[in-house]
Amino acid sequence: MLAGGRNERLKQRLDPYLQRAVQPRPLVVAGKLTRMVGLTLEAVGCQAVIGGRCLIESRLGRPIEAEVVGFHADKLYLMPIGDLQGLGPDARVVPVDSGCEVPVGDHLLGRVLDGAGNALDDKGPIQADRHVPLTGSSINPLSRPPISEPLDVGVAAINALLSVGRGQRMGLFAGSGVGKSVLLGMMTRYTDADVIVVGLIGERGREVKEFVQNILGEEGLARAVVVATPADNSPVMRMHGAMLATSVAEYFRDQGKQVLLLMDSLTRFAQAQREVALAIGEPPATKGYPPSVFARLPQLVERAGTGDKGGSITAFYTVLVEGDDQNDPIADAARAILDGHVVLSRELAEAGHYPAIDIEASISRVMVNIVAPEHEQAVRRFRQVYSSYRQNRDLINVGAYQSGSDARVDEAISMYPQMSRFLQQHMHERVTWNDSLAGLAAALGTESEV
């Protein structure tokens, strides 16, 4: 009886697995390539789901990997992930899986990867603890803890006037040549975080090695993971690079760690999605950007933030503003979905004021929830005095302003030099949270700390 009872329990446990094992599996049916327009491939005779992978036989003897990005009737629209050399008409197309999974694990620390999770450095193959979906998994918004703890990023102007909380998502809005990469490097070296994940998406290839060697260095790389998909990668690979960096950050967040995610840039991710969407026939909507671009942005950004297991992802996304136009479609969409933005000014950069942060145009939306009331009042006073000087600067510079005409402007003139010095910081200088608050109090001429 005892043996019979054990056998019955064992049978109950194995039944579900046995039933799945004897179920007929669908046969993989190969199709063929019928058309290629630009980077878009059309295949017939096979079936696959959106996001699935296919292998296309080339005449060079090596398969070409492609991702399913659309379909119409019996046609599949594919976008290649790598090089297209050797591709010819009627090439055989074989679906290989229904989705993409990427390697994650503690062994990624100190490594440089491409968008597919392969090693770009010379440290051997990637050792993965497990594989997770590239698109991540959503978190119930009610399960996310509120942002309540400030994060020290090592930059005085941000610490004191644009305080960032752990789990916040900030945008870094800048044109070309105004110190965006230098500011990112400062935050990479000085931010108080357990793990740093850097996504270099669609940028110049030479910047990858410079960032790893000159900005991160050996000490910084030891606690960092770098995902690099330069501009010469396919649009699908550039998108995968951004999603892979986010998946890696999610893994460490789920381990209860405090993660800093730096993505340069969100604009290149949007441009890659635009290339894919236009190639498969989606009509442009706003300045050449199809609607799917504006749907993809929040899907990527919402994956960052606080987690339900004690960890957090504090994310900084750089946004390139074409011609310094802050109303660029991507910049406008990013402002709506992020928790704040830091704007870099070309005027300040040309005057040698670094970091060239435009305090008047920048804001942190969660600052009121993470700083003391005295700190908030000091920031409000700083902005008022600073803005008074900037608004009357032209009159002051040409000598048209008469001293005593306005008490607020007189105060601003006397305080501006010290305030300007407080906002400037050398790239190799770290200013801690406490030192930032002390500097703010000194700039305002108050003895008590904020």
Side-chain angles (χ1 to χ4, degrees):
M1 292 296 293
L2 292 176
R6 284 197 298 268
N7 290 338
E8 184 64 27
R9 288 194 298 270
L10 181 61
K11 181 177 180 299
Q12 291 175 357
R13 293 175 58 188
L14 291 178
D15 269 348
Y17 300 97
L18 294 174
Q19 290 174 6
R20 284 200 294 266
V22 299
Q23 286 178 353
R25 296 183 179 180
L27 296 175
V28 176
V29 179
K32 67 176 182 178
L33 201 63
T34 60
R35 187 184 181 195
M36 176 178 176
V37 179
L39 291 178
T40 308
L41 310 176
E42 292 185 10
V44 297
C46 56
Q47 294 184 352
V49 299
I50 297 294
R53 296 294 181 90
C54 295
L55 292 180
I56 307 173
E57 294 182 355
S58 73
R59 296 180 181 178
L60 297 180
R62 56 175 178 79
I64 296 173
E65 191 174 10
E67 180 175 324
V68 181
V69 295
F71 59 86
H72 179 260
D74 61 339
K75 297 179 182 178
L76 285 181
Y77 297 127
L78 309 175
M79 190 70 68
I81 294 176
D83 190 10
L84 286 175
Q85 294 296 323
L87 196 63
D90 295 330
R92 193 165 177 260
V93 180
V94 182
V96 291
D97 58 38
S98 59
C100 182
E101 292 190 338
V102 292
V104 294
D106 294 341
H107 294 89
L108 295 182
L109 291 174
R111 303 302 303 269
V112 183
L113 320 174
D114 64 9
N118 302 316
L120 289 176
D121 50 26
D122 56 355
K123 299 179 181 179
I126 298 297
Q127 302 292 328
D129 294 342
R130 59 191 179 96
H131 288 73
V132 297
L134 187 65
T135 54
S137 57
S138 60
I139 299 178
N140 186 331
L142 296 181
S143 300
R144 290 182 182 266
I147 299 173
S148 57
E149 183 181 354
L151 176 69
D152 183 0
V153 299
V155 180
I158 297 179
N159 278 345
L161 303 174
L162 303 167
S163 303
V164 178
R166 291 193 182 275
Q168 186 172 355
R169 298 160 302 189
M170 292 284 286
L172 188 59
F173 291 70
S176 57
V178 295
K180 165 179 58 68
S181 298
V182 173
L183 182 56
L184 274 182
M186 293 172 66
M187 290 189 291
T188 302
R189 294 191 300 270
Y190 304 144
T191 298
D192 181 17
D194 299 323
V195 176
I196 299 171
V197 181
V198 181
L200 302 176
I201 312 302
E203 298 298 320
R204 293 179 291 271
R206 70 168 180 81
E207 293 183 338
V208 177
K209 191 170 184 178
E210 290 180 1
F211 191 92
V212 172
Q213 291 185 347
N214 301 336
I215 295 180
L216 275 178
E218 292 185 6
E219 183 179 353
L221 186 60
R223 59 169 182 153
V225 182
V226 179
V227 180
T229 53
D232 59 345
N233 281 239
S234 69
V236 172
M237 185 63 78
R238 279 177 267 147
M239 293 173 60
H240 285 187
M243 292 188 285
L244 172 58
T246 307
S247 295
V248 173
E250 287 176 325
Y251 167 79
F252 287 107
R253 177 186 62 187
D254 292 342
Q255 308 301 312
K257 296 182 179 180
Q258 308 302 322
V259 182
L260 174 66
L261 172 62
L262 302 174
M263 190 168 296
D264 186 13
S265 69
L266 191 65
T267 305
R268 303 300 188 201
F269 172 81
Q271 291 173 347
Q273 172 61 24
R274 177 176 64 179
E275 292 179 43
V276 173
L278 293 177
I280 62 177
E282 186 178 352
T286 307
K287 290 190 177 180
Y289 287 97
S292 63
V293 173
F294 303 101
R296 280 275 194 171
L297 288 176
Q299 290 175 1
L300 178 71
V301 171
E302 282 294 328
R303 294 171 61 183
T306 55
D308 54 0
K309 298 179 181 178
S312 68
I313 300 175
T314 305
F316 283 87
Y317 300 92
T318 64
V319 180
L320 303 177
V321 287
E322 298 180 1
D324 296 329
D325 179 14
Q326 297 295 329
N327 294 319
D328 175 81
I330 300 303
D332 197 44
R335 271 194 300 268
I337 59 178
L338 294 172
D339 302 323
H341 49 272
V342 178
V343 178
L344 299 187
S345 166
R346 184 172 302 277
E347 180 186 358
L348 291 174
E350 291 174 347
H353 183 291
Y354 290 103
I357 299 175
D358 187 345
I359 296 299
E360 294 176 286
S362 305
I363 191 172
S364 172
R365 294 180 179 173
V366 305
M367 183 174 179
V368 295
N369 301 324
I370 61 174
V371 300
E374 298 80 9
H375 185 174
E376 184 184 355
Q377 292 173 5
V379 171
R380 187 180 298 114
R381 173 164 167 73
F382 186 101
R383 285 179 175 270
Q384 290 171 349
V385 176
Y386 186 81
S387 180
S388 294
Y389 182 89
R390 300 282 295 182
Q391 290 172 3
N392 295 274
R393 180 183 52 179
D394 293 340
L395 294 176
I396 297 170
N397 290 339
V398 301
Y401 176 77
Q402 297 296 324
S403 179
S405 301
D406 190 327
R408 293 177 300 177
V409 178
D410 292 339
E411 180 186 39
I413 293 174
S414 64
M415 295 177 62
Y416 183 78
Q418 192 165 353
M419 299 174 81
S420 181
R421 284 194 298 270
F422 168 71
L423 294 176
Q424 298 181 58
Q425 181 176 334
H426 193 272
M427 63 179 293
H428 296 298
E429 175 190 5
R430 178 181 182 178
V431 182
T432 64
W433 175 268
N434 291 332
D435 289 342
S436 300
L437 299 190
L440 175 61
L444 292 174
T446 60
E447 297 296 331
S448 58
E449 294 187 358
V450 297

